Amino acid sequence: MDPVVIIRGLSKVYHQAESEIAALNNVSLDIGRGEFLSLMGPSGSGKSTLLHVIAGIDRPTTGSCRVGDVMVTELNDSELADWRNQTVGFVFQSFNLIPVLTAFENVELPLLLMNLSSSERRRLVMTALELVDLADRARHLPKQLSGGQEQRVAIARAIVTDPMLVVADEPTGNLDSASADAVLEILRTLSRTAGKTVIMVTHDPRAASFGSRTIHLQKGRLSNG
Ligand code: ADP
Ligand code: MG
């Protein structure tokens, strides 16, 4: 395995009122380039926290996370924001599309931070929408789409900047099984044919089985399932 994510001794402690919550407890993990990793575990076991640390949304209390050549846990806030914009695509359970923007405009949003011509943006947006099989819905608003279609637009938005990592937190949690399968097939294609490293949190063993490997968290620690 050619590891693209190298995590060592990661812990995250939240302080709340009088108590301390160990959301992550000494997690070490390698994730290969192009791997589709499923992350399972009971509610509160630290899945989202681990995903957020890998994606540079959250910082650990101790430990390190390297992605490619970058020691993510050593970046300052502005370096971290730049790195995230260039490297990570996010997919959320609740899609998080902007309701007043069309599918096209939602997917275009991350590109507005980059210095691209409108014709270049258009080409990238349509390529991403074609990849999720929604080129014909480009002018639809989110409310004019099914939940499954909304999530596919959200995937197009996540990948339009060609990030190396795609992280998805319960991406099929709000979908019926047919829509979920379409989303999972796309995530699998991203890892298999586009070489993206995909990390997906899920409660659903069937969804997890689309991945190339499943790991389990239990009370902030990696377990064997
Ligand atoms: P999961 O995604 O597996 O359900 P989380 O990573 O969201 O779990 O949370 C792990 C633990 O950390 C839980 O006990 C949760 O209550 C706690 N936690 C998460 N985020 C915060 C926060 N911002 N402040 C305090 N505690 C938190
Ligand atoms: Mg969670």
Side-chain angles (χ1 to χ4, degrees):
M1 180 169 78
D2 170 21
V4 68
V5 179
I6 302 175
I7 294 165
R8 291 292 176 269
L10 214 61
S11 296
K12 175 79 180 181
V13 178
Y14 288 109
H15 298 270
Q16 211 153 42
E18 302 291 282
S19 67
E20 287 192 342
I21 300 166
L24 292 176
N25 193 339
N26 196 25
V27 171
S28 296
L29 172 69
D30 287 357
I31 305 172
R33 193 175 297 278
E35 197 171 356
F36 180 179
L37 185 75
S38 299
L39 182 51
M40 297 192 75
S43 188
S45 59
K47 304 181 297 295
S48 295
T49 303
L50 180 57
L51 202 67
H52 293 169
V53 170
I54 296 169
I57 305 174
D58 204 351
R59 289 182 185 278
T61 308
T62 56
S64 65
C65 177
R66 172 189 285 278
V67 177
D69 296 331
V70 178
M71 192 58 100
V72 178
T73 37
E74 287 175 6
L75 300 178
N76 67 32
D77 286 353
S78 88
E79 291 168 338
L80 192 61
D82 289 345
W83 173 82
R84 208 166 46 220
N85 288 335
Q86 290 161 14
T87 318
V88 190
F90 298 93
V91 181
F92 305 92
Q93 178 171 357
S94 52
F95 323 138
N96 290 9
L97 299 178
I98 298 187
V100 297
L101 300 182
T102 64
F104 183 99
E105 291 163 341
N106 268 284
V107 176
E108 188 182 29
L109 268 184
L111 298 176
L112 298 177
L113 296 168
M114 303 168 92
N115 193 16
L116 297 171
S117 68
S118 64
S119 64
E120 181 66 1
R121 287 203 303 272
R122 175 162 193 84
R123 188 182 69 76
L124 292 172
V125 171
M126 291 313 295
T127 301
L129 283 172
E130 273 156 26
L131 204 142
V132 299
D133 200 21
L134 285 175
D136 58 344
R137 299 291 195 281
R139 291 150 84 89
H140 285 54
L141 292 167
K143 69 179 179 205
Q144 297 167 326
L145 298 169
S146 70
Q149 290 171 334
E150 283 193 81
Q151 192 60 302
R152 280 149 56 202
V153 171
I155 293 174
R157 178 183 58 186
I159 61 171
V160 72
T161 57
D162 198 24
M164 175 168 107
L165 272 185
V166 175
V167 301
D169 200 343
E170 306 264 10
T172 59
N174 289 353
L175 302 179
D176 62 78
S177 69
S179 301
D181 283 8
V183 161
L184 293 161
E185 289 286 2
I186 290 166
L187 293 175
R188 183 153 66 183
T189 299
L190 288 175
S191 79
R192 283 197 183 161
T193 60
K196 308 266 180 232
T197 302
V198 180
I199 309 171
M200 174 179 72
V201 167
T202 183
H203 270 108
D204 175 8
R206 210 182 63 88
S209 72
F210 280 73
S212 48
R213 176 163 63 123
T214 301
I215 60 170
H216 298 262
L217 273 175
Q218 190 101 41
K219 296 183 179 166
R221 290 177 185 274
L222 287 180
S223 71
N224 295 319

